Amino acid sequence: MTPTNSAEQALDEALALVSRTPEGGGTGGAGGGGGHRASGWQRARDTAARAGSGVRPRTHRVPLADALGEVLATPLDALTDLPSFDTSAMDGWAVAGPGPWSVRAGGGVLAGSERPEPLTDGEAVRIATGARIPADATAVIRTEHCREAGTQLFADRSVLTGQDIRPRGQECRSGDLLLPAGSLVTPAVLGLAAAAGYDELTTRPRPRVEILVLGDELLTAGRPHEGLVRDALSPMLGPWIDRLGAEVIGTRRLGDDPAGAAALLEAVTTSTADVLVTTGGTASGPVDHVHPVLRKAGAELLVDGVAVRPGHPMLLARTGSRGADENDANDANTVRHVVGLPGNPLAAVSGLLTLAEPLLRALAGRRRRPRYTAPVQGDVPGHPYDTRLVPVLLSDEHAVPLRYHGPAMLRGVAAADALAVVPPKGARSGQELEILDLPWASGGCFT
């Protein structure tokens, strides 16, 4: 394809120069050239989802307020009829029989009041929305649809039997299934559970995540200087992972020295987290400790590199025994997963969306996010063999690619709604591309 400008042309040529044919042409199958062993992008995502689904789930019983964002571990069954008695759907008058009606002396029927006296034929009593319907009432007439004249009530339009009365059990009967296990607890689910009489829910707790930021070149404050750069990942990863529905139990910085490698090994083997997310150190440089530490810990590499740009050297590993008791976080054999993100910021974002999100969703018991596409506006250059993830703005009609999408750049993704999945060799203007919503643009863990 023809790049739209010289900058894109240069990018395309640079990508081609550094490319190596992925195994099976990017599908993770046999063959291919260059000795490149990376998993295909979609295969890596599927592997992460299967890894999370293969862990025996924990459950706990929590008050309603603490269940938000978690997943129901048991079905939500109705504990009572809803409504549990016939109620008025409107402010107005409860009437019995045909009109006109004699107005009952005294006060009306209010929500929360005791059981009202039955109505006699031809009688009316004022009633509030949500109040219990008196026995033998045949309808409720809205205030604006009737008029009083002395002690008589007249309707301004036809009155139908049962109108504006919510009968007992209209929404559900006791024992009805309201929501199946696996449903995400949203604010609406909390309301439904409360209406149905629940004080607590049995849910799957959010996966616990510990973040380990590796590198001696990182500053925690001030401007970059003298070969040092600001740590852009620590401020970003915690809130991002939280929006993915996980619980971040801590963020630590580890050096590139032997002490840092020892601390990494200790974390991999003893952390109480379900998932360790590391940044940097996933390549083969002299101070890249992630692979050696995982080997020493006896970890199983599930994904070792992904045919995606940026983010190629990401990885996913598993430690512990799948036959162990995953409910015991202190068990040395407890299953833990390690998501190794590249150190470049946008490459780390690519790793979050490729490996961390499907893994965490599966560990939490959440369904995979539905896939959808949008037509791209303008030609988008591609890598000769690998998938590209490009920040985009979503308009009513198109996904609009943004500039500043280099591996070390956050300027593009900070302005983006999503990342577009660009296939090898690129996409033509108008071509439908898969879209990966960013968590703040798609409502976070409540969608």
Side-chain angles (χ1 to χ4, degrees), residues 60 62 64-72 182-190 201 203-207 242-247 360-361 364-366 443-447:
H60 61 179
V62 292
L64 291 185
D66 295 335
L68 186 64
E70 297 186 349
V71 167
L72 293 178
S183 299
L184 180 66
V185 180
T186 65
V189 171
L190 292 180
L201 293 174
T203 60
R204 293 178 61 165
R206 297 194 296 165
D242 180 74
R243 293 299 294 268
L244 293 180
E247 176 191 0
L360 292 173
R361 289 182 74 90
R366 298 176 63 188
C445 64
F446 304 139
T447 59

Side-chain angles (χ1 to χ4, degrees), residues 21-94:
T21 305
E23 184 178 5
T27 64
H36 183 50
R37 306 295 296 177
S39 298
W41 179 77
Q42 187 57 55
R43 175 172 289 191
R45 284 172 60 82
D46 292 342
T47 298
R50 286 195 302 271
S53 299
V55 176
R56 187 165 54 212
R58 300 190 311 273
T59 64
H60 61 179
R61 191 162 182 83
V62 292
L64 291 185
D66 295 335
L68 186 64
E70 297 186 349
V71 167
L72 293 178
T74 57
L76 188 72
D77 295 327
L79 301 179
T80 183
D81 295 346
L82 286 181
S84 56
F85 48 83
D86 293 349
T87 62
S88 177
M90 293 288 172
D91 292 333
W93 296 84

Side-chain angles (χ1 to χ4, degrees), residues 232-255:
L233 294 179
S234 294
M236 177 177 73
L237 290 181
W240 194 309
I241 290 170
D242 180 74
R243 293 299 294 268
L244 293 180
E247 176 191 0
V248 178
I249 64 173
T251 300
R252 289 191 284 157
R253 296 181 62 217
L254 304 181

Side-chain angles (χ1 to χ4, degrees), residues 19-397:
S19 69
R20 290 174 292 173
T21 305
E23 184 178 5
T27 64
H36 183 50
R37 306 295 296 177
S39 298
W41 179 77
Q42 187 57 55
R43 175 172 289 191
R45 284 172 60 82
D46 292 342
T47 298
R50 286 195 302 271
S53 299
V55 176
R56 187 165 54 212
R58 300 190 311 273
T59 64
H60 61 179
R61 191 162 182 83
V62 292
L64 291 185
D66 295 335
L68 186 64
E70 297 186 349
V71 167
L72 293 178
T74 57
L76 188 72
D77 295 327
L79 301 179
T80 183
D81 295 346
L82 286 181
S84 56
F85 48 83
D86 293 349
T87 62
S88 177
M90 293 288 172
D91 292 333
W93 296 84
V95 299
W101 303 269
S102 298
V103 175
R104 176 183 288 179
V109 184
L110 301 177
S113 62
E114 296 180 357
R115 184 188 300 272
E117 292 296 321
L119 288 176
T120 60
D121 193 44
E123 189 179 22
V125 65
R126 189 176 292 277
I127 194 166
T129 300
R132 185 192 296 262
I133 296 292
D136 299 324
T138 55
V140 169
I141 307 174
R142 303 182 188 191
T143 301
E144 61 270 26
H145 294 165
C146 59
R147 53 189 169 82
E148 289 183 79
T151 60
Q152 295 288 105
L153 180 74
F154 297 87
D156 294 334
R157 59 184 65 187
S158 298
V159 177
L160 303 177
T161 299
Q163 74 178 30
D164 287 327
I165 293 176
R166 292 188 63 212
R168 176 174 180 163
Q170 181 186 55
E171 187 169 2
C172 64
R173 289 292 185 180
S174 179
D176 283 354
L177 174 65
L178 300 178
L179 290 170
S183 299
L184 180 66
V185 180
T186 65
V189 171
L190 292 180
L192 175 62
Y198 284 85
D199 299 315
E200 296 178 324
L201 293 174
T202 300
T203 60
R204 293 178 61 165
R206 297 194 296 165
R208 301 180 301 258
V209 177
E210 184 175 9
I211 300 169
L212 303 175
V213 179
L214 313 180
D216 290 333
E217 76 281 11
L218 303 177
L219 295 169
T220 58
R223 300 178 184 179
H225 64 275
E226 297 177 353
L228 301 178
V229 298
R230 277 297 296 271
D231 173 13
L233 294 179
S234 294
M236 177 177 73
L237 290 181
W240 194 309
I241 290 170
D242 180 74
R243 293 299 294 268
L244 293 180
E247 176 191 0
V248 178
I249 64 173
T251 300
R252 289 191 284 157
R253 296 181 62 217
L254 304 181
D256 290 328
D257 56 1
L264 178 60
L265 177 61
E266 181 182 14
V268 168
T269 54
T270 66
S271 175
T272 60
D274 302 299
V275 178
L276 288 172
V277 174
T278 67
T279 70
T282 56
S284 302
V287 292
D288 290 335
H289 297 309
V290 175
H291 280 92
V293 163
L294 291 175
R295 283 195 296 271
K296 191 169 185 179
E300 178 186 4
L301 273 174
L302 305 177
V303 176
D304 189 9
V306 178
V308 67
R309 307 295 170 136
H312 172 270
M314 67 181 75
L315 63 82
L316 172 64
R318 177 169 54 212
T319 66
S321 168
R322 279 180 284 180
D325 183 3
E326 283 87 13
N327 289 297
D328 183 1
N330 295 316
D331 185 347
N333 290 320
T334 295
V335 171
R336 297 181 190 87
H337 288 89
V338 179
V339 176
L341 304 178
N344 277 324
L346 188 57
V349 168
S350 175
L352 282 175
L353 295 175
T354 302
L355 297 178
E357 180 175 2
L359 173 69
L360 292 173
R361 289 182 74 90
L363 286 171
R366 298 176 63 188
R367 293 183 295 273
R368 297 187 70 170
R369 195 180 296 279
R371 297 172 66 176
Y372 76 97
T373 64
V376 67
Q377 179 176 296
D379 293 350
V380 185
H383 188 278
Y385 307 111
D386 295 350
T387 299
R388 285 187 66 209
L389 300 182
V390 177
V392 294
L393 280 175
L394 299 178
S395 70
D396 291 339
E397 298 180 351

